[in-house]
Amino acid sequence: MAIAVDIDVMLAKRKMSVGELAERVGITPANLAVLKNGRAKAVRFATLAALCEVLECQPGDLLRWEEPPESPAV
């Protein structure tokens, strides 16, 4: 995945649980886990804004671009 999600880093910095964050943002813990584990295909700006508000951070604190691994030559 080219976009890495660092929600777990911010949760640790804020000493907050996934359940508490999900409740305060207004999404299910299961959906937050999908996003947190990098399995989400998309994220709504409203959800991203709510995450930033609750975690008191910027979008760049939660998301970063990573160079995808190179495919082996065939």
Side-chain angles (χ1 to χ4, degrees), residues 1 5 7 18 28-42:
M1 170 181 245
V5 182
I7 291 175
V18 172
T28 66
N31 283 340
L32 182 57
V34 167
L35 179 59
K36 184 174 87 68
N37 295 323
R39 295 189 316 262
K41 300 288 184 205

Side-chain angles (χ1 to χ4, degrees), residues 7-74:
I7 291 175
D8 53 346
V9 173
M10 291 306 298
L11 283 170
K13 286 182 179 179
R14 302 296 187 250
K15 295 179 171 59
M16 188 181 297
S17 70
V18 172
E20 180 183 353
L21 180 60
E23 183 178 323
R24 291 178 62 185
V25 169
I27 61 176
T28 66
N31 283 340
L32 182 57
V34 167
L35 179 59
K36 184 174 87 68
N37 295 323
R39 295 189 316 262
K41 300 288 184 205
V43 60
R44 294 176 188 256
F45 281 158
T47 302
L48 183 58
L51 287 166
C52 289
E53 182 177 351
V54 171
L55 293 170
E56 298 177 352
C57 66
Q58 294 294 312
D61 296 325
L62 301 177
L63 304 172
R64 64 185 158 79
W65 183 80
E66 286 185 343
E67 184 76 36
E70 291 191 29
S71 301
V74 181

